[in-house]
Amino acid sequence: MEIGGSLPVANVQAVASTYSGDIPLRFVRPELHSEEVLVDETLQIPTIDMRKLMVDDDDDDDDDDDDDDDDEMGKLHLACKEWGFFQLINHGVAEAVVEKMKADVQEFFKLPLEKKNAYAKQPSAIEGYGQNLVVSEDQKLDWADMLFLQTRPTPERKRRFWPEEPTSFRETLDKYSSELVKVLNCLLKPMAKNLAINPEQFAKMFEDGRQSVKMNYYPPCEQASKVLGLTPHSDLGGLTLLVQVNEVQGLQIKRNGKWIPIRPLPGAFIVNIGDDVEKLSNGEYKSIEHRAVVDPEKERLSIAAFHSPCDGTIIGPLTKENGAKYKYVNWEDYIYIYIFFDK
């Protein structure tokens, strides 16, 4: 599915290594000085144990106990309702698979610019190496480079954008992509049950759905307080699974008007609700605004995998207990509006 392209802009890694003095104005974010970041380290997103979740899900069919504090199904429900984010542990993806993905992403971003540019975005598409989506000459730029690839459906993969260096990259990403689909499927069923939605109907919407993977490189910036690695936004799609590649933190979520820094747990996926699931749940589950900040001294890398319903899906409330709060829209129309008119 072609949905348009991104305007060409300078490579941020090159800008970061060559600029002296003032940061180029398109990167400067004056609004950062007026926004509050909480420093309360006890305030963190919930942690969900998928191993326990699968046990609870199997036992839940005949269980009418509604005590959300005592079971993993209840914890998942509260996490999706009150936070829109959670950390997923014991997710079943082998550590070797995740670590290999991290290593190959690091190796790719270490390549010389001319080698990375062999996979550069084209004017008519959003896949490839470059900057986050840029749709106007006036748009503020993120202090980050990225490699964006559509990984599923597999017949639609554009292999010309899949790096051949490191040599293991393509095989690694293929394996990583498959493992994340398994995690997605394990989460959809308990979420549907918590929402009193038919689990088979909910899962069917994501069967043969779209998955894209965005690998992010955030160079250090001496004036980090003036720039953003990722503009505040909520995610299009159903569920996002993110893993931090190195130890440098930067993800922040907005809660009650303030930004909360997220501290990733070792080996965990950070999962967040996307706009589609918010609409499908009729607003019961929340798609939360988030952003990425950069470090003044160290680079940061992350890998985000986005999972969306299959083409042709009508996005709108599956549960209308309090009346439908969202209009029904074809998924392809919605993604076009999101990209080109919601900036």
Side-chain angles (χ1 to χ4, degrees), residues 195-261:
L195 290 165
I197 294 172
N198 183 299
E200 285 71 30
Q201 179 190 10
F202 195 52
K204 184 78 172 175
M205 301 179 97
F206 290 85
E207 187 177 311
D208 299 321
R210 293 193 172 271
Q211 180 197 66
S212 55
V213 178
K214 185 156 76 83
M215 292 142 274
N216 305 295
Y217 178 87
Y218 304 97
C221 179
E222 291 181 1
Q223 301 177 58
S225 62
K226 294 183 178 180
V227 303
L228 278 175
L230 184 61
T231 300
H233 68 288
S234 61
D235 284 351
L236 176 71
L239 288 179
T240 303
L241 277 67
L242 179 136
V243 64
Q244 186 159 290
V245 174
N246 60 359
E247 300 305 314
V248 181
Q249 299 176 17
L251 175 64
Q252 298 180 349
I253 69 170
K254 201 164 196 178
R255 184 172 172 85
N256 299 325
K258 299 175 182 178
W259 291 104
I260 300 175

Side-chain angles (χ1 to χ4, degrees), residues 11 153 182 241:
N11 172 269
K182 296 176 186 177
L241 277 67

Side-chain angles (χ1 to χ4, degrees), residues 118-129:
Y119 310 101
K121 290 182 177 183
Q122 301 300 302
S124 61
I126 62 172
E127 287 189 69
Y129 171 71

Side-chain angles (χ1 to χ4, degrees), residues 187-200 202-203 285:
L187 290 172
L188 291 175
K189 184 179 177 182
M191 288 173 60
K193 286 186 175 182
N194 278 333
L195 290 165
I197 294 172
N198 183 299
E200 285 71 30
F202 195 52
Y285 285 178

Side-chain angles (χ1 to χ4, degrees), residues 1-69:
M1 181 183 66
E2 297 291 348
I3 54 175
S6 180
L7 298 176
V9 292
N11 172 269
V12 182
Q13 194 171 359
V15 171
S17 65
T18 57
Y19 88 94
S20 59
D22 294 334
I23 298 170
L25 283 177
R26 285 193 73 182
F27 293 100
V28 177
R29 308 289 186 117
E31 70 274 12
L32 293 179
H33 296 291
S34 61
E35 297 185 335
E36 183 176 355
V37 178
L38 291 181
V39 293
D40 183 357
E41 295 189 359
T42 64
L43 189 61
Q44 281 296 300
I45 58 177
T47 298
I48 303 299
D49 187 325
M50 196 164 85
R51 191 178 300 154
K52 293 180 181 179
L53 183 64
M54 293 301 96
V55 173
D56 279 358
D57 183 29
D58 290 338
D59 295 341
D60 190 62
D61 291 334
D62 300 317
D63 186 1
D64 294 327
D65 185 2
D66 195 34
D67 186 352
D68 283 350
D69 294 325

